[in-house]
Amino acid sequence: EEPVLLAELKPGRPQRYDWKSSCETWSVAFSPDGAWFAWSQGHCVVKLIPWPLGEAELGCKTSERKSRGGKVETRSRGAAKEKTLECGQIVWGLAFSAWPAAEDGDTDPACAVGLPCLVLATGLNDGQIKVWEVQTGHLLFSLLGHQDVVRDLSFAPNGTPILVSASRDKTLRVWDLSRDVLLPSGDTFLLSPGRQVQVLSGHVQWVYCCSISPDCSMLCSAAGEKSALLWSMRSYALIRRLEGHQSSVVSCDFSPDSALLVTASYDACVIMWDPYTGEQLRTLRHVPLHSTLDSSSEIHTSSLRSVCFSPEGLYLATVADDRLLRIWALELWSPVAFAPMTNGLCCMYFPHGGFIATGTRDGHVQFWTAPRVLSSLKHLCRKALRTFLTTYQVLALPIPRKLKEFLTYRTF
């Protein structure tokens, strides 16, 4: 079943050509509870949209949203209202916190000092990270430390106020948003949330992507290098380099049970790893479809841009420069579905499945249908076990070899 385009949202602002108003959608994000969608629509603007979209939007192919000045734009849909965040800089990375949203009516921005409410972090062109309260659209505070573009952001999935940022300054930084820090302001000091816990150095190129494993034990980072780095989220020490790609690694994601890690590269390959052992389990190659390519083009038309796991862990979605969105089943070597898209940059699954959001160089965001799957009892058992057992712990169990191979994803 091929993905069907449900809606395409376009920025309403006129196109400008100076670098300060770049129109690319470098990042899209769903909140963990699926109630909000964040869209970096270019022109230094982020849209916060209540999910699901309105029937009129999902029933048509395109819909334009107008942005006016610096005001917060709202549109009532029950208790939630759409908001426009004016970030003042090109927005590269987006991430929602994993802790629960505030109760309806609890819209006091001061509540976020203790961070009990849903927040959105935005990584900007000047190295700043701005943190916003989602319910009100208010800017809470900024995190300062990076010396170049903040390319990606990842909150700890377990609900602790830990944020990891990846930057073109070749570092990753770990922030604890529950800690206060004194910031100089003229002759006085201001108390501001957000303390830098650690700076992770090891990359020699721009860092494109960072992903924290769902069990919060590991962090993977991808830079303009042929290897991805795996870090401990407990000690912040480098665990290992994952070497196998032939070109720059640009995207990475963990499976929902933390048992698998996928990396995507400009070499047109996705490699599936066991993060505990560093073993390569499978390589998925993006073979061009001749009908979608310009034979005179000299660029690497299958260069990958983004990869992500589906919520149940049985599918992958990838976006590549050959103008295709691909969906892969975990046990197969070839894609199970394709969809034509132009200038794709990023992709993300809806947390409860059924949809994929993709962002483009034109500042658009597209919503596609995704295969809905009823997980087998075998997979559900494997997922439950692997959530708290490492590969080494599974291999030490007194169970048959075939069962160990299944639990460690050595058989598909």
Side-chain angles (χ1 to χ4, degrees):
E1 183 180 347
E2 302 300 324
V4 175
L5 181 62
L6 296 175
E8 181 174 10
L9 308 181
K10 302 178 180 180
R13 291 189 172 183
Q15 298 295 323
R16 293 174 56 189
Y17 299 99
D18 62 294
W19 68 270
K20 291 184 179 179
S21 60
S22 177
C23 67
E24 294 93 349
T25 294
W26 289 105
S27 185
V28 294
F30 287 101
S31 62
D33 62 359
W36 290 93
F37 177 75
W39 164 30
S40 167
Q41 68 166 38
H43 308 292
C44 312
V45 169
V46 171
K47 281 294 183 70
L48 272 172
I49 304 171
W51 190 270
L53 298 179
E55 291 182 6
E57 293 162 311
L58 283 176
C60 65
K61 290 289 177 123
T62 62
S63 175
E64 291 194 0
R65 297 175 173 272
K66 305 294 184 182
S67 302
R68 303 179 181 87
K71 297 181 180 179
V72 172
E73 177 186 335
T74 63
R75 180 165 55 84
S76 295
R77 186 181 296 144
K81 297 179 180 180
E82 179 186 311
K83 300 165 185 70
T84 298
L85 310 181
E86 297 281 354
C87 297
Q89 291 278 330
I90 298 172
V91 182
W92 293 81
L94 297 173
F96 282 99
S97 64
W99 51 84
E103 296 295 328
D104 291 344
D106 184 9
T107 57
D108 182 1
C111 75
V113 172
L115 295 172
C117 52
L118 185 67
V119 302
L120 176 74
T122 56
L124 306 183
N125 199 72
D126 62 356
Q128 283 192 75
I129 301 167
K130 290 187 176 181
V131 180
W132 309 77
E133 185 182 358
V134 172
Q135 291 291 333
T136 63
H138 287 107
L139 176 64
L140 297 175
F141 51 86
S142 296
L143 303 175
L144 306 177
H146 281 296
Q147 305 302 309
D148 208 334
V149 172
V150 177
R151 187 63 185 82
D152 196 23
L153 297 161
S154 182
F155 274 101
N158 63 359
T160 57
I162 297 297
L163 174 68
V164 175
S165 54
S167 171
R168 282 187 180 176
D169 66 12
K170 305 175 186 177
T171 70
L172 297 113
R173 294 173 189 255
V174 183
W175 310 84
D176 185 345
L177 303 192
S178 68
R179 304 289 183 90
D180 292 333
V181 61
L182 287 174
L183 297 178
S185 176
D187 297 329
T188 61
F189 286 86
L190 298 177
L191 193 63
S192 175
R195 183 174 72 87
Q196 184 174 284
V197 175
Q198 193 78 24
V199 178
L200 305 182
S201 301
H203 287 291
V204 296
Q205 300 291 338
W206 295 349
V207 189
Y208 290 119
C209 182
C210 60
S211 178
I212 302 175
S213 62
D215 65 4
C216 293
S217 66
M218 296 171 285
L219 166 71
C220 183
S221 58
E225 305 158 8
K226 296 180 181 179
S227 58
L229 301 188
L230 198 63
W231 310 81
S232 168
M233 280 298 290
R234 297 185 176 95
S235 65
Y236 301 119
L238 179 64
I239 299 173
R240 65 173 51 88
R241 291 181 179 269
L242 300 173
E243 299 180 341
H245 285 290
Q246 302 304 309
S247 189
S248 300
V249 184
V250 295
S251 183
C252 57
D253 194 26
F254 284 93
S255 62
D257 58 5
S258 304
L260 297 173
L261 170 68
V262 288
T263 54
S265 167
Y266 287 159
D267 65 8
C269 291
V270 170
I271 297 181
M272 196 178 300
W273 310 81
D274 184 321
Y276 295 101
T277 65
E279 180 183 350
Q280 293 185 36
L281 301 180
R282 174 166 292 194
T283 299
L284 305 176
R285 304 185 186 279
H286 283 61
V287 178
L289 297 184
H290 68 277
S291 60
T292 66
L293 299 180
D294 177 0
S295 60
S296 64
S297 176
E298 296 180 357
I299 64 171
H300 297 288
T301 50
S302 291
S303 294
L304 280 154
R305 293 289 172 179
S306 183
V307 61
C308 62
F309 264 102
S310 62
E312 81 291 327
L314 288 173
Y315 288 91
L316 294 172
T318 59
V319 171
D321 283 347
D322 61 0
R323 303 191 288 275
L324 285 174
L325 165 68
R326 288 174 171 84
I327 298 177
W328 309 73
L330 208 61
E331 70 276 7
L332 300 177
W333 292 90
S334 299
V336 296
F338 299 86
M341 63 174 299
T342 303
N343 298 327
L345 290 175
C346 58
C347 61
M348 173 169 276
Y349 269 92
F350 180 62
H352 307 305
F355 301 98
I356 298 173
T358 58
T360 75
R361 284 192 181 277
D362 306 312
H364 301 186
V365 62
Q366 300 167 324
F367 299 98
W368 306 85
T369 58
R372 287 191 175 273
V373 60
L374 183 63
S375 298
S376 67
L377 182 58
K378 286 172 58 178
H379 175 67
L380 290 174
C381 290
R382 173 172 61 185
K383 184 178 173 183
L385 285 170
R386 291 310 310 272
T387 298
F388 63 90
L389 289 180
T390 69
T391 299
Y392 297 113
Q393 289 171 326
V394 170
L395 295 176
L397 293 174
I399 56 178
R401 179 176 60 86
K402 290 281 189 182
L403 189 51
K404 290 182 181 180
E405 290 176 349
F406 175 77
L407 292 175
T408 57
Y409 291 88
R410 268 59 179 179
T411 57
F412 289 97

